[in-house]
Amino acid sequence: MPGLLRGVARTAVVAGTATAVSNRVSRRQAGRWAQQQEPAQAERYAPPPAEPPPPAPAAPDMSSKIEQLKELGELKEQGILTEEEFAAQKSKILGS
């Protein structure tokens, strides 16, 4: 019987060692696969890039504002515009 017990004990040790090694290999492979899949999943599930905001309308340069103010002044001098109309248009041009 001691031979039989020794054989069973040896089998149990070998089976336990094999199971432990197999589990370790499985965990290591799963970890590697997860690392390989993370970048692919990040790309797949990443939100689309935000669209850039539309460009702001170009502000008219000062020379065009000056020209408009000169025309308004001439219209006021000719009597076509009243003082109130002139002031309203002037503030509209200057944006204030």
Side-chain angles (χ1 to χ4, degrees), residues 58-77:
D61 58 345
M62 279 308 278
S63 61
S64 67
K65 288 183 179 182
I66 292 171
E67 289 299 319
Q68 290 176 344
L69 289 173
K70 285 181 182 178
E71 290 175 13
L72 279 177
E74 290 174 4
L75 291 173
K76 181 183 166 207
E77 287 177 10

Side-chain angles (χ1 to χ4, degrees), residues 2-39:
L4 180 63
L5 187 58
R6 190 175 287 147
V8 171
R10 183 178 296 152
T11 302
V13 168
V14 170
T17 303
T19 302
V21 169
S22 174
N23 287 341
R24 179 169 164 81
V25 169
S26 295
R27 283 193 303 270
R28 187 182 315 155
Q29 284 179 341
R32 287 181 183 167
W33 290 336
Q35 287 176 351
Q36 289 175 353
Q37 290 178 351
E38 283 176 11

Side-chain angles (χ1 to χ4, degrees), residues 34-59:
Q35 287 176 351
Q36 289 175 353
Q37 290 178 351
E38 283 176 11
Q41 287 178 351
E43 288 177 8
R44 187 173 38 207
Y45 296 116
E51 294 183 22

